[in-house]
């Protein structure tokens, strides 16, 4: 399809540091679903030393191990907080996965006890109970609005939502935020945090379109997102449900 629609500015945060379990596939998926509709995605990769200058309509960050998170936490809080937080306050969207999600909340206490400050987008904090405590690993299925989300999780940290935080979804299979309260992820305005890797968007096309729609509400609210022929993506979604013992 030729591009006749709007430009969507996507800031891809620390792709080299924060990319576990194919999380970069989320950006590939967003780009492709935009291109199919004539939207022009402009990807800005933020490397560790960079400072974001220009505004974005959508921020994406993937998961990372504690060591990589330490660098990402520093880069986010010392160089890029103002840009990101002012864009989010202005209605920009975000997808933050696992380690990236942890860094978008108030703080992450890593396995070695060190404290990594986050941006406070989500009213939540994450505590890693230590390397000897079993990690939350496996396939996840959640209830999300009137549908389901599928994915894969692997995290030591347990995330606890504060009173100002809304969960993204309710866990049907798997652990979610903390393996205790049945919540998975968080939502704040147009920002979504989740533990779901996968990568999560290719096999949850409704979530991918939800994110594109909320990002477009920031940049081109008059643009209408047409449905796609995405039966292959939905087949992948259903296959993941079956693997988890659901249909
Ligand atoms: N290091 C974090 C944890 O184990 C995040 C891991 C991840 O992003 N998969 O909790």
């Amino acid at each position: 399809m030729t591009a006749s629609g709007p430009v969507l500015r996507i800031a891809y945060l620390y792709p080299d540091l924060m990319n576990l379990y194919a999380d970069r596939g989320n950006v590939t998926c967003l780009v492709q679903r935009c291109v199919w509709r004539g939207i022009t995605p402009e990807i800005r990769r933020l490397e560790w030393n960079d400072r974001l200058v220009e505004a974005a309509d959508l921020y994406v960050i993937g998961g990372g191990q504690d060591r990589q998170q330490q660098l990402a936490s520093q880069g986010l809080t010392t160089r890029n907080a103002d840009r990101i937080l002012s864009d989010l306050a202005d209605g920009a969207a975000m997808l933050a996965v696992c380690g990236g999600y942890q860094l978008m909340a108030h703080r992450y206490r890593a396995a070695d006890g060190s404290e990594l400050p986050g941006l406070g987008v989500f009213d939540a904090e994450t505590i890693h109970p230590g390397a000897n405590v079993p990690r939350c690993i496996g396939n996840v299925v959640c209830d999300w609005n009137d549908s389901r989300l599928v994915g894969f999780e692997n995290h030591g940290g347990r995330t606890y939502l504060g009173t100002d935080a809304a969960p993204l979804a309710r866990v049907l299979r798997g652990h979610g935020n903390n393996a205790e309260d049945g919540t998975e992820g968080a939502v704040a305005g147009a920002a979504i945090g989740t533990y779901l890797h996968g990568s999560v968007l290719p096999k949850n096309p409704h979530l991918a379109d939800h994110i594109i729609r909320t990002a477009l509400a920031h940049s081109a609210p008059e643009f209408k997102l047409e449905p796609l022929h995405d039966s292959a993506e939905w087949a992948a979604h259903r296959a993941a449900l079956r693997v988890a013992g659901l249909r």
Side-chain angles (χ1 to χ4, degrees), residues 20-21 63-66 69 98-99 102 108 128 135 154-157 197:
L20 285 179
Y21 311 110
Q65 306 289 3
D66 289 17
Q69 281 178 282
C98 201
Q102 294 169 350
Y108 170 50
H128 193 306
R135 297 175 65 80
N154 184 352
H155 52 105
H197 297 281

Side-chain angles (χ1 to χ4, degrees), residues 142-149 167-170 187 206-207 210:
C142 317
D143 268 332
W144 178 59
N145 299 333
D146 294 330
S147 61
R148 284 174 173 174
L149 297 176
L168 170 69
R170 294 276 160 193
V187 182
H206 51 334
L207 180 62
H210 172 80

Side-chain angles (χ1 to χ4, degrees), residues 6-239:
V7 167
L8 193 74
R9 300 164 299 175
I10 302 178
Y12 185 11
L13 306 179
Y14 307 126
D16 293 335
L17 290 173
M18 305 294 287
N19 173 41
L20 285 179
Y21 311 110
D23 283 341
R24 71 161 59 90
N26 291 327
V27 174
T28 309
C29 173
L30 290 165
V31 165
Q32 193 55 57
R33 295 182 79 85
C34 282
V35 168
W36 278 330
R37 276 122 162 181
I39 302 164
T40 303
E42 279 182 9
I43 308 293
R44 289 155 200 182
R45 289 170 58 101
L46 183 79
E47 308 300 344
W48 185 68
N49 264 323
D50 294 347
R51 187 183 293 274
L52 276 168
V53 177
E54 290 166 53
D57 306 307
L58 171 58
Y59 286 90
V60 181
I61 183 168
Q65 306 289 3
D66 289 17
R67 197 172 131 68
Q68 282 75 27
Q69 281 178 282
Q70 209 153 21
L71 291 170
S73 162
Q74 208 183 330
L76 286 170
T77 56
T78 63
R79 285 187 285 282
N80 292 295
D82 290 351
R83 173 81 272 161
I84 297 171
L85 294 177
S86 78
D87 285 351
L88 292 179
D90 193 43
M94 171 179 275
L95 173 68
V97 175
C98 201
Y101 164 42
Q102 294 169 350
L103 295 182
M104 291 301 158
H106 297 305
R107 67 186 179 111
Y108 170 50
R109 194 202 292 156
D112 67 2
S114 56
E115 294 273 341
L116 310 189
L119 291 189
V121 172
F122 305 110
D123 178 25
E125 62 175 18
T126 303
I127 311 291
H128 193 306
N132 295 329
V133 177
R135 297 175 65 80
C136 301
I137 304 178
N139 293 320
V140 186
V141 179
C142 317
D143 268 332
W144 178 59
N145 299 333
D146 294 330
S147 61
R148 284 174 173 174
L149 297 176
V150 296
F152 169 77
E153 63 182 337
N154 184 352
H155 52 105
R158 271 64 167 173
T159 298
Y160 298 93
L161 303 182
T163 48
D164 285 344
L168 170 69
R170 294 276 160 193
V171 175
L172 295 171
R173 294 278 191 279
H175 304 86
N177 279 331
N178 50 47
E180 293 168 34
D181 63 14
T183 64
E184 154 47 35
V187 182
I192 286 177
T194 179
Y195 272 110
L196 300 185
H197 297 281
S199 26
V200 66
L201 295 186
K203 55 187 169 189
N204 293 285
H206 51 334
L207 180 62
D209 280 356
H210 172 80
I211 290 168
I212 294 171
R213 210 172 283 116
T214 52
L216 282 174
H218 182 245
S219 63
E222 72 290 348
F223 188 80
K224 194 169 171 335
L225 212 58
E226 296 296 338
L228 294 173
H229 298 289
D230 51 9
S231 53
E233 289 84 344
W234 281 107
H237 179 87
R238 285 191 300 274

